[in-house]
Amino acid sequence: MKKETHPKYSVVTVKCANCDSEFTVGTTSADGFLVSICSQCHPAYTGKNTIIDSTNRVSRFLERQQKSQSLQKVKSK
Ligand SMILES: [Zn+2]
């Protein structure tokens, strides 16, 4: 192997932001990093349908829906 052309290879810890599980991977990056979804919580692996609401779009929609429903109740009375 030619010297000083290959990046340093290290094993780092990766943390999942969705389910807080941790695992290690081999990488040329020096630091560990955060992933938004992993094999522990991805629907393709779990078989369950999950909603990843990282930008609060789902909760904002549910809030608007509740508000709309309560207004409709007031109108119908
Ligand atoms: Zn996960």
Side-chain angles (χ1 to χ4, degrees), residues 15-21 23 35-42:
K15 191 174 184 190
C16 177
N18 194 34
C19 70
D20 288 332
S21 70
F23 52 95
V35 290
S36 57
I37 195 158
C38 71
S39 61
Q40 301 289 313
C41 59
H42 192 284

Side-chain angles (χ1 to χ4, degrees), residues 20-57:
D20 288 332
S21 70
E22 286 182 359
F23 52 95
T24 55
V25 291
T27 178
T28 52
S29 170
D31 306 314
F33 51 92
L34 203 68
V35 290
S36 57
I37 195 158
C38 71
S39 61
Q40 301 289 313
C41 59
H42 192 284
Y45 296 94
T46 60
K48 291 177 204 159
N49 195 5
T50 52
I51 298 165
I52 293 125
D53 194 11
S54 56
T55 53
N56 287 333
R57 281 174 176 267

